[in-house]
Amino acid sequence: MTTHEAELIGGKNPVAEALRSGRELNKIWVAEGLNKKSIGEIISLAKRSGVVIQEVPKRKLDTMLEVNHQGIIASVAAYRYAELSELFDRAKARQEDPFFLILDELEDPHNLGSILRTADATGVHGVIIPKRRSVGLTGIVAKASTGAIEHIPVVRVNNLSQTVEDLKKSGVWIAGTDASGSQDYRSMDATLPLAIIIGSEGKGMSRILREKCDFLYSLPMVGHVTSLNASVAASLLMYEVLRKRRP
């Protein structure tokens, strides 16, 4: 099998979303004995797109992809990264103020997938990640996003610090989370053109990005742990923006 894992997606929902969105699929493998009714839509979409479906033993699928594939795997053309201008275009097309997410060296593909899923649910116009020391758009991310990867543009940039400066010049305000931040996140003015920075799992937000933030928000915590999972913190902030923008 020469296809890289980054080009394989597993699971009924991710494969169906890839077909619905018009992604270029090379081939689909389904486990022998899989209930065809459960993938009826996938079969019809694949026929319409001219994508070959091949039945193989389930153990072959297990060797192709480590994530839970639900008996179906597709080989897809590599994910296309968006340009920053496309994020502004999406906001303009929806007649909304920009709402972006900046992920500072996130390394866990499950966290990225989960964040993309919530970003789609909360109306985020796009996600920005750095090229270095960050997870990219892989098959594991696609599976964890349950199809959201097809709907949320992801921009990959060389320099996050420079990108933040460019966003500021375009009228976007920058918010970050910090345990020592004086403002409770629930006091956020989410009606502004906004980009929220989420720090990495281990180190949090880098000092250089923290210094560029217009706002630093803290998440109130009354228990014993000192920080939240990156995708959970991101979800709270995204839903706060949605709540303020669509009361």
Side-chain angles (χ1 to χ4, degrees):
M1 183 65 203
T2 54
T3 311
H4 299 296
E5 188 180 65
E7 296 172 332
L8 292 177
I9 54 172
K12 294 169 188 173
N13 204 32
V15 173
E17 284 293 350
L19 283 162
R20 285 189 208 114
S21 68
R23 278 289 300 287
E24 189 184 326
L25 270 67
N26 306 318
K27 194 173 186 178
I28 296 171
W29 295 270
V30 299
E32 289 170 349
L34 184 71
N35 180 356
K36 296 299 186 291
K37 280 185 182 172
S38 69
I39 56 165
E41 185 192 9
I42 289 172
I43 292 169
S44 62
L45 285 169
K47 278 182 180 170
R48 205 179 308 159
S49 307
V51 180
V52 174
I53 296 180
Q54 183 185 351
E55 282 196 52
V56 294
K58 181 182 174 293
R59 64 178 178 276
K60 178 177 168 67
L61 299 183
D62 294 338
T63 63
M64 288 166 65
L65 204 59
E66 287 180 8
V67 297
N68 177 17
H69 49 67
Q70 298 176 304
I72 183 162
I73 291 176
S75 165
V76 298
Y79 288 97
R80 186 186 79 83
Y81 289 95
E83 299 293 330
L84 195 58
S85 59
E86 292 176 52
L87 273 53
F88 283 97
D89 291 343
R90 274 171 73 92
K92 192 174 178 183
R94 294 189 199 165
Q95 297 181 314
E96 295 167 349
D97 281 314
F99 175 25
F100 308 146
L101 217 56
I102 299 170
L103 306 181
D104 184 13
E105 296 184 12
L106 212 68
E107 293 174 347
D108 186 331
H110 297 98
N111 273 340
L112 178 54
S114 178
I115 285 170
L116 292 177
R117 190 175 180 177
T118 310
D120 180 52
T122 54
V124 172
H125 299 116
V127 173
I128 300 165
I129 62 173
K131 281 184 179 169
R132 294 176 61 208
R133 294 190 294 276
S134 172
V135 63
L137 298 180
T138 68
I140 295 173
V141 172
K143 180 77 173 75
S145 80
T146 63
I149 198 169
E150 307 293 349
H151 305 289
I152 291 289
V154 176
V155 178
R156 201 153 66 150
V157 299
N158 286 317
N159 188 319
L160 275 185
S161 178
Q162 183 57 53
T163 300
V164 165
E165 288 294 337
D166 294 342
L167 289 171
K168 286 181 147 192
K169 285 173 189 166
S170 299
V172 176
W173 296 78
I174 309 298
T177 56
D178 191 81
S180 59
S182 57
Q183 280 183 282
D184 187 309
Y185 83 102
R186 292 168 293 188
S187 67
M188 181 195 307
D189 181 356
T191 60
L192 302 165
L194 193 64
I196 296 176
I197 301 174
I198 302 296
S200 70
E201 294 90 356
K203 304 190 294 284
M205 189 170 37
S206 66
R207 179 189 56 81
I208 193 162
L209 288 184
R210 187 183 293 112
E211 288 171 357
K212 291 182 185 296
C213 287
D214 299 301
F215 311 103
L216 281 174
Y217 295 111
S218 61
L219 299 165
M221 302 178 80
V222 296
H224 302 288
V225 296
T226 55
S227 65
L228 294 174
N229 171 282
S231 67
V232 173
S235 296
L236 285 168
L237 292 159
M238 286 186 272
Y239 266 101
E240 184 63 15
V241 174
L242 181 67
R243 187 177 76 85
K244 294 271 174 66
R245 289 192 174 193
R246 300 190 186 186

